[in-house]
Amino acid sequence: MKTDDYKKACEYAGINFDQTSYDKSSALQKKTMKESYAAVVFKVGKQKVSKKKVTVDVEIITTDYLEIMNQAVYDTMKNKKDDAYTYRVFSSIKIEKNKLLNC
């Protein structure tokens, strides 16, 4: 995800990547998606290795970016603002939530 290869990331996650929908996404969505995945913090847990298969437990310990975006969009609509405003609110909330996680 940090290299913007969303198709490969979707394959790993077991979901279908819709290129047409992605292409039609707004610049704001693409920008926040890139930032969100680039900021993912995780802990690697138990690892099991066999001849043909490796299994790794991973716990994502980052803020819920979908929740942050929903808050930013709600605030934007309430205040009748634009995408630039949404991005500023998104960034501000993200910074505050990440500070709380790092305490």
Side-chain angles (χ1 to χ4, degrees):
M1 294 308 289
K2 292 181 181 183
T3 61
D4 303 334
D5 191 349
Y6 300 112
K7 184 174 183 178
K8 184 172 276 190
C10 285
E11 289 171 9
Y12 288 137
I15 57 176
N16 292 325
F17 177 75
D18 184 347
Q19 184 68 49
T20 304
S21 293
Y22 178 77
D23 291 340
K24 291 181 179 179
S25 295
S26 72
L28 172 68
Q29 290 171 321
K30 290 178 183 177
K31 187 174 185 176
T32 55
M33 185 188 305
K34 288 176 186 178
E35 284 190 23
S36 299
Y37 286 113
V40 168
V41 177
F42 57 90
K43 289 182 185 177
V44 176
K46 188 171 84 175
Q47 302 173 32
K48 182 179 177 184
V49 180
S50 65
K51 290 182 181 180
K52 295 184 179 181
K53 185 177 178 180
V54 175
T55 305
V56 180
D57 292 336
V58 177
E59 177 186 2
I60 297 175
I61 56 174
T62 315
T63 305
D64 181 350
Y65 289 98
L66 184 57
E67 175 190 334
I68 293 173
M69 180 52 78
N70 286 340
Q71 289 175 6
V73 169
Y74 174 78
D75 193 45
T76 301
M77 292 172 63
K78 185 172 83 174
N79 291 294
K80 298 179 182 174
K81 299 290 184 176
D82 58 12
D83 279 357
Y85 180 85
T86 305
Y87 182 71
R88 286 192 304 273
V89 172
F90 171 83
S91 298
S92 175
I93 295 170
K94 181 178 77 169
I95 289 167
E96 287 305 311
K97 291 204 177 236
N98 283 336
K99 281 182 186 175
L100 292 173
L101 284 173
N102 293 325
C103 289

